[in-house]
Amino acid sequence: MNRSLTDRVDPYLVSITIMLLVVGLANLYSASLRETISDTPIYIKQTYWALVGLAAMTAVIFIEYRTIRRFAYVIYGANLALLVAVLFLGGGAGGAHRWFVLGPVSFQPSEFMKLSCILAVSSYFASVTGPEGLRIRDLLVPAAMTAVPAALIVMEPDLGSAGLLVLLFLTMICMIRMRPRTYMALAVTTLVCAPPVVFFGWRYLKPYQRQRIITFLNPESDPLGSGYHIIQSKIAVGSGQLFGKGYLAGTQGQLKFLPEQHTDFIFSVLAEEWGFIGGLVFLGLVLAYVVRGTVISREAKDMFTSITAMGITVLFLWQSFINIAMAVGLFPVVGIPLPFLSYGGSSLVTTLLGTGMLLNIHMRRRVF
């Protein structure tokens, strides 16, 4: 890579990423200090994954993005094959089939599919979008590209990740120029399809998934059962008050009242120990990442890189919003990880790969 290109590395995005990584590892250390899930502490495992993710991020920066676009459908197809394979060969708690376990290492294909889907859909939109905007038929292929992996992820079952994939697609098409007729057709389709989707969707849900929604609406209905998680999470967030209880001093977290504190409710640990101010600082970092991603999308060289940067930014934003909303009781618990904070190698590596792609796009915005 020539020097003029390396000089164009976005220092803001790099700084934000490093700060989020440091905050994430420090917070996970506190959340998992007394965990005995395995012989190796999970904050050590997460550190290993962070190193893997940083290496992957650096590798992506060095690959010219036109090459990545050329292989976008191949990457998508390979991930689709992994989603099929994990249904037969994968493992997970409670009979789920979400992870491939290879000795001490496990990974979740649905996490990588989020990025693969962004690349494939962006490549397609870049090839069909004209000056007048998208027609309704232009949406059919990318809709199928999203629906197929979403259906496979539902079968794992992982309704939260499947819903996130659909939400990501809907957000992306809203940000791309469409013809007025396309907007009209989408609005009518939504109005017609929403009632039967809600009705049959509710019937399709497994009992524990229905219970999560009921608990979200009224967690006090079963405070020692299904409502326990969200009640303890809200207690942790509220007890942090303005400045928090101090690092490693959160009673909800350290005394294990807070379940799933290293994954779903990792933000609650941060809010309890660092308070409202600490939570606000973290939200500021999240907002800064989103702003840089948006700027990179607007300054991108072409349609493919602009849509890809926008998709990666929207994915980061939705995951952060949903997870934090879960922690404070504004959204049902659907198992969406908080980028950089939640424990999980697949999620962390995917986030850093996406960051590498943003840096790649920014560096080459005035090349070619």
Side-chain angles (χ1 to χ4, degrees):
M1 182 179 292
N2 60 59
R3 184 173 175 79
S4 63
L5 205 54
T6 54
D7 286 345
R8 294 174 189 158
V9 172
D10 186 347
Y12 304 109
L13 185 57
V14 171
S15 302
I16 295 164
T17 300
I18 291 173
M19 284 190 279
L20 284 168
L21 262 180
V22 171
V23 170
L25 290 174
N27 195 54
L28 188 62
Y29 174 78
S30 175
S32 61
L33 190 59
R34 295 178 175 82
E35 290 283 358
T36 55
I37 296 176
S38 64
D39 294 337
T40 306
I42 61 175
Y43 60 86
I44 297 292
K45 289 183 177 180
Q46 189 78 342
T47 303
Y48 292 152
W49 280 116
L51 295 174
V52 171
L54 287 171
M57 183 182 82
T58 306
V60 168
I61 293 173
F62 278 81
I63 301 172
E64 203 266 288
Y65 68 73
R66 290 182 299 187
T67 304
I68 295 175
R69 181 183 178 183
R70 209 157 39 239
F71 289 96
Y73 295 138
V74 175
I75 296 169
Y76 171 84
N79 262 282
L80 206 58
L82 287 175
L83 283 179
V84 174
V86 81
L87 294 176
F88 299 97
L89 305 174
H97 298 274
R98 300 178 186 174
W99 291 274
F100 283 115
V101 181
L102 306 172
V105 178
S106 61
F107 69 96
Q108 195 172 1
S110 59
E111 288 295 329
F112 298 105
M113 176 48 81
K114 296 169 186 172
L115 192 55
S116 303
C117 207
I118 289 172
L119 292 174
V121 168
S122 299
S123 182
Y124 183 84
F125 277 141
S127 64
V128 299
T129 304
E132 296 180 354
L134 293 170
R135 299 161 295 186
I136 191 69
R137 68 184 182 191
D138 295 330
L139 301 178
L140 298 179
V141 171
M145 286 180 180
T146 305
V148 172
L152 291 171
I153 294 171
V154 167
M155 293 167 68
E156 291 182 357
D158 185 355
L159 199 58
S161 295
L164 178 64
L165 210 57
V166 175
L167 188 61
L168 173 64
F169 172 71
L170 294 176
T171 310
M172 286 177 70
I173 62 172
C174 288
M175 294 182 165
I176 300 173
R177 180 192 295 272
M178 291 190 288
R179 301 184 184 195
R181 282 186 179 180
T182 308
Y183 283 112
M184 291 284 292
L186 285 177
V188 171
T189 303
T190 303
L191 289 174
V192 171
C193 293
V197 166
V198 172
F199 177 76
F200 289 107
W202 180 260
R203 291 171 63 90
Y204 177 79
L205 289 178
K206 295 182 182 298
Y208 78 90
Q209 292 169 329
R210 293 181 188 174
Q211 189 58 49
R212 283 183 176 181
I213 296 175
I214 295 171
T215 301
F216 160 67
L217 297 173
N218 184 17
E220 283 75 18
S221 63
D222 187 11
L224 298 179
S226 58
Y228 182 80
H229 290 55
I230 187 59
I231 290 174
Q232 296 303 319
S233 176
K234 289 198 287 188
I235 290 173
V237 173
S239 64
Q241 299 188 17
L242 188 59
F243 296 106
K245 296 176 180 174
Y247 188 51
L248 304 179
T251 51
Q252 287 292 107
Q254 299 301 327
L255 299 179
K256 305 302 172 194
F257 289 111
L258 183 63
E260 308 296 340
Q261 56 183 281
H262 59 289
T263 53
D264 291 351
F265 297 106
I266 191 74
F267 178 77
S268 309
V269 176
L270 184 143
E272 183 185 22
E273 296 189 348
W274 297 97
F276 178 76
I277 299 298
L280 210 57
V281 170
F282 175 73
L283 290 178
L285 288 173
V286 170
L287 180 62
Y289 187 103
V290 171
V291 168
R292 285 312 301 166
T294 304
V295 169
I296 289 170
S297 174
R298 291 175 66 88
E299 294 180 348
K301 178 74 175 178
D302 54 32
M303 180 77 74
F304 168 70
T305 49
S306 177
I307 300 174
T308 298
M310 181 179 63
I312 292 168
T313 305
V314 167
L315 174 63
F316 178 84
L317 176 63
W318 273 125
Q319 289 193 128
S320 302
F321 173 78
I322 292 173
N323 182 282
I324 294 172
M326 281 164 35
V328 297
L330 296 177
F331 203 84
V333 179
V334 291
I336 298 296
L338 182 56
F340 292 106
L341 260 69
S342 291
Y343 171 66
S346 303
S347 172
L348 183 58
V349 172
T350 301
T351 302
L352 288 170
L353 278 170
T355 305
M357 193 65 198
L358 289 176
L359 291 169
N360 186 328
I361 293 168
H362 178 79
M363 289 164 59
R364 292 173 173 83
R365 67 192 186 284
R366 296 194 181 94
V367 183
F368 312 129

Short mmCIF file of all heavy atoms in Angstrom, two decimals, residues 76-88 97-98 100 108-111 113 148-150 152-153 156 165:
data_model
loop_
_atom_site.label_atom_id
_atom_site.label_comp_id
_atom_site.label_asym_id
_atom_site.label_seq_id
_atom_site.Cartn_x
_atom_site.Cartn_y
_atom_site.Cartn_z
N TYR A 76 -21.42 -13.92 0.05
CA TYR A 76 -22.81 -14.13 0.50
C TYR A 76 -23.19 -15.62 0.36
O TYR A 76 -23.77 -16.21 1.29
CB TYR A 76 -23.73 -13.26 -0.35
CG TYR A 76 -25.20 -13.53 -0.15
CD1 TYR A 76 -25.91 -12.93 0.89
CD2 TYR A 76 -25.89 -14.37 -1.02
CE1 TYR A 76 -27.26 -13.18 1.06
CE2 TYR A 76 -27.24 -14.63 -0.84
CZ TYR A 76 -27.92 -14.02 0.19
OH TYR A 76 -29.26 -14.28 0.36
N GLY A 77 -22.86 -16.22 -0.79
CA GLY A 77 -23.20 -17.63 -1.01
C GLY A 77 -22.52 -18.54 -0.01
O GLY A 77 -23.14 -19.51 0.49
N ALA A 78 -21.25 -18.26 0.29
CA ALA A 78 -20.53 -19.08 1.26
C ALA A 78 -21.16 -18.99 2.65
O ALA A 78 -21.31 -20.00 3.35
CB ALA A 78 -19.07 -18.63 1.32
N ASN A 79 -21.58 -17.78 3.02
CA ASN A 79 -22.24 -17.61 4.32
C ASN A 79 -23.59 -18.31 4.35
O ASN A 79 -24.00 -18.85 5.38
CB ASN A 79 -22.41 -16.13 4.63
CG ASN A 79 -21.32 -15.62 5.54
OD1 ASN A 79 -21.34 -15.83 6.74
ND2 ASN A 79 -20.35 -14.98 4.94
N LEU A 80 -24.29 -18.27 3.20
CA LEU A 80 -25.58 -18.96 3.12
C LEU A 80 -25.39 -20.46 3.32
O LEU A 80 -26.17 -21.12 4.02
CB LEU A 80 -26.21 -18.67 1.75
CG LEU A 80 -27.74 -18.73 1.65
CD1 LEU A 80 -28.39 -17.76 2.63
CD2 LEU A 80 -28.17 -18.45 0.22
N ALA A 81 -24.33 -21.01 2.70
CA ALA A 81 -24.04 -22.43 2.87
C ALA A 81 -23.75 -22.76 4.33
O ALA A 81 -24.17 -23.80 4.86
CB ALA A 81 -22.85 -22.81 1.99
N LEU A 82 -23.05 -21.85 5.02
CA LEU A 82 -22.76 -22.07 6.45
C LEU A 82 -24.03 -22.05 7.28
O LEU A 82 -24.18 -22.83 8.23
CB LEU A 82 -21.79 -20.99 6.95
CG LEU A 82 -20.33 -21.10 6.50
CD1 LEU A 82 -19.54 -19.89 6.97
CD2 LEU A 82 -19.71 -22.39 7.03
N LEU A 83 -24.99 -21.18 6.89
CA LEU A 83 -26.26 -21.13 7.63
C LEU A 83 -27.05 -22.42 7.46
O LEU A 83 -27.73 -22.87 8.39
CB LEU A 83 -27.10 -19.93 7.15
CG LEU A 83 -26.68 -18.55 7.65
CD1 LEU A 83 -27.60 -17.48 7.07
CD2 LEU A 83 -26.73 -18.49 9.18
N VAL A 84 -26.97 -23.01 6.26
CA VAL A 84 -27.63 -24.30 6.04
C VAL A 84 -26.92 -25.39 6.84
O VAL A 84 -27.56 -26.20 7.52
CB VAL A 84 -27.64 -24.66 4.54
CG1 VAL A 84 -28.20 -26.07 4.33
CG2 VAL A 84 -28.48 -23.65 3.75
N ALA A 85 -25.58 -25.38 6.78
CA ALA A 85 -24.81 -26.42 7.46
C ALA A 85 -24.99 -26.38 8.97
O ALA A 85 -25.05 -27.43 9.62
CB ALA A 85 -23.33 -26.27 7.09
N VAL A 86 -25.11 -25.17 9.53
CA VAL A 86 -25.20 -25.08 10.99
C VAL A 86 -26.50 -25.68 11.51
O VAL A 86 -26.57 -26.13 12.67
CB VAL A 86 -25.04 -23.60 11.44
CG1 VAL A 86 -26.34 -22.83 11.30
CG2 VAL A 86 -24.55 -23.54 12.89
N LEU A 87 -27.53 -25.74 10.67
CA LEU A 87 -28.79 -26.36 11.08
C LEU A 87 -28.63 -27.86 11.31
O LEU A 87 -29.36 -28.46 12.09
CB LEU A 87 -29.88 -26.12 10.03
CG LEU A 87 -30.33 -24.66 9.84
CD1 LEU A 87 -31.33 -24.55 8.70
CD2 LEU A 87 -30.95 -24.12 11.12
N PHE A 88 -27.65 -28.47 10.62
CA PHE A 88 -27.44 -29.92 10.73
C PHE A 88 -26.24 -30.26 11.60
O PHE A 88 -26.23 -31.30 12.28
CB PHE A 88 -27.23 -30.53 9.33
CG PHE A 88 -28.41 -30.34 8.42
CD1 PHE A 88 -28.42 -29.29 7.50
CD2 PHE A 88 -29.50 -31.18 8.49
CE1 PHE A 88 -29.51 -29.10 6.66
CE2 PHE A 88 -30.59 -30.99 7.65
CZ PHE A 88 -30.60 -29.95 6.74
N HIS A 97 -29.40 -24.52 17.11
CA HIS A 97 -28.32 -24.85 16.16
C HIS A 97 -27.78 -23.54 15.61
O HIS A 97 -28.08 -23.16 14.48
CB HIS A 97 -28.85 -25.74 15.04
CG HIS A 97 -29.37 -27.05 15.52
ND1 HIS A 97 -28.57 -28.15 15.72
CD2 HIS A 97 -30.62 -27.44 15.89
CE1 HIS A 97 -29.29 -29.16 16.16
NE2 HIS A 97 -30.54 -28.76 16.28
N ARG A 98 -26.98 -22.85 16.41
CA ARG A 98 -26.49 -21.52 16.03
C ARG A 98 -25.00 -21.44 15.85
O ARG A 98 -24.51 -20.56 15.17
CB ARG A 98 -26.90 -20.49 17.09
CG ARG A 98 -28.38 -20.37 17.32
CD ARG A 98 -28.67 -19.38 18.43
NE ARG A 98 -30.09 -19.35 18.74
CZ ARG A 98 -30.61 -18.67 19.75
NH1 ARG A 98 -29.82 -17.95 20.53
NH2 ARG A 98 -31.91 -18.70 19.98
N PHE A 100 -20.99 -23.22 15.22
CA PHE A 100 -20.06 -24.29 14.89
C PHE A 100 -19.04 -24.34 16.00
O PHE A 100 -18.45 -23.31 16.37
CB PHE A 100 -19.35 -24.01 13.56
CG PHE A 100 -20.19 -24.28 12.35
CD1 PHE A 100 -20.57 -23.23 11.52
CD2 PHE A 100 -20.61 -25.56 12.04
CE1 PHE A 100 -21.34 -23.47 10.40
CE2 PHE A 100 -21.39 -25.81 10.92
CZ PHE A 100 -21.76 -24.76 10.11
N GLN A 108 -20.47 -18.10 15.08
CA GLN A 108 -21.90 -18.02 14.77
C GLN A 108 -22.06 -17.45 13.35
O GLN A 108 -21.86 -16.24 13.14
CB GLN A 108 -22.59 -17.12 15.79
CG GLN A 108 -24.07 -17.21 15.81
CD GLN A 108 -24.68 -16.43 16.98
OE1 GLN A 108 -23.95 -15.80 17.75
NE2 GLN A 108 -25.97 -16.46 17.10
N PRO A 109 -22.43 -18.26 12.36
CA PRO A 109 -22.53 -17.77 10.98
C PRO A 109 -23.51 -16.61 10.80
O PRO A 109 -23.32 -15.78 9.93
CB PRO A 109 -23.01 -19.01 10.20
CG PRO A 109 -22.63 -20.18 11.04
CD PRO A 109 -22.71 -19.71 12.46
N SER A 110 -24.56 -16.56 11.63
CA SER A 110 -25.55 -15.49 11.45
C SER A 110 -24.94 -14.11 11.66
O SER A 110 -25.40 -13.13 11.07
CB SER A 110 -26.74 -15.69 12.40
OG SER A 110 -26.31 -15.69 13.74
N GLU A 111 -23.90 -14.01 12.50
CA GLU A 111 -23.25 -12.71 12.70
C GLU A 111 -22.54 -12.26 11.42
O GLU A 111 -22.64 -11.10 11.02
CB GLU A 111 -22.24 -12.80 13.86
CG GLU A 111 -22.88 -12.91 15.24
CD GLU A 111 -23.67 -11.66 15.62
OE1 GLU A 111 -23.30 -10.56 15.18
OE2 GLU A 111 -24.69 -11.80 16.31
N MET A 113 -23.26 -13.23 8.45
CA MET A 113 -24.23 -13.02 7.38
C MET A 113 -24.70 -11.57 7.32
O MET A 113 -25.03 -11.05 6.25
CB MET A 113 -25.42 -13.97 7.57
CG MET A 113 -26.54 -13.78 6.56
SD MET A 113 -26.00 -13.69 4.83
CE MET A 113 -25.79 -15.42 4.42
N VAL A 148 -34.12 -15.12 2.53
CA VAL A 148 -33.62 -16.50 2.62
C VAL A 148 -32.74 -16.71 3.86
O VAL A 148 -33.01 -17.62 4.67
CB VAL A 148 -32.86 -16.89 1.32
CG1 VAL A 148 -32.17 -18.24 1.48
CG2 VAL A 148 -33.84 -16.93 0.15
N PRO A 149 -31.68 -15.89 4.07
CA PRO A 149 -30.92 -16.09 5.31
C PRO A 149 -31.73 -15.81 6.57
O PRO A 149 -31.53 -16.47 7.60
CB PRO A 149 -29.76 -15.09 5.17
CG PRO A 149 -30.18 -14.11 4.15
CD PRO A 149 -31.09 -14.85 3.22
N ALA A 150 -32.67 -14.84 6.49
CA ALA A 150 -33.50 -14.57 7.66
C ALA A 150 -34.33 -15.81 8.03
O ALA A 150 -34.47 -16.15 9.21
CB ALA A 150 -34.41 -13.37 7.40
N LEU A 152 -33.55 -18.94 7.39
CA LEU A 152 -32.64 -19.95 7.94
C LEU A 152 -32.28 -19.63 9.39
O LEU A 152 -32.18 -20.53 10.23
CB LEU A 152 -31.36 -20.01 7.09
CG LEU A 152 -31.53 -20.58 5.67
CD1 LEU A 152 -30.25 -20.38 4.86
CD2 LEU A 152 -31.87 -22.07 5.73
N ILE A 153 -32.10 -18.34 9.69
CA ILE A 153 -31.76 -17.94 11.06
C ILE A 153 -32.95 -18.17 11.99
O ILE A 153 -32.77 -18.56 13.15
CB ILE A 153 -31.29 -16.47 11.08
CG1 ILE A 153 -29.97 -16.34 10.31
CG2 ILE A 153 -31.09 -15.98 12.51
CD1 ILE A 153 -29.53 -14.90 10.07
N GLU A 156 -32.96 -21.59 13.40
CA GLU A 156 -31.89 -22.04 14.33
C GLU A 156 -32.36 -22.39 15.74
O GLU A 156 -31.81 -23.36 16.30
CB GLU A 156 -30.80 -20.95 14.38
CG GLU A 156 -30.02 -20.84 13.08
CD GLU A 156 -28.93 -19.78 13.16
OE1 GLU A 156 -28.82 -19.10 14.20
OE2 GLU A 156 -28.17 -19.67 12.18
N LEU A 165 -31.93 -8.54 10.57
CA LEU A 165 -31.57 -8.58 9.15
C LEU A 165 -32.66 -7.92 8.30
O LEU A 165 -32.36 -7.15 7.39
CB LEU A 165 -31.38 -10.05 8.73
CG LEU A 165 -30.38 -10.34 7.61
CD1 LEU A 165 -29.00 -9.82 7.95
CD2 LEU A 165 -30.31 -11.84 7.34
#
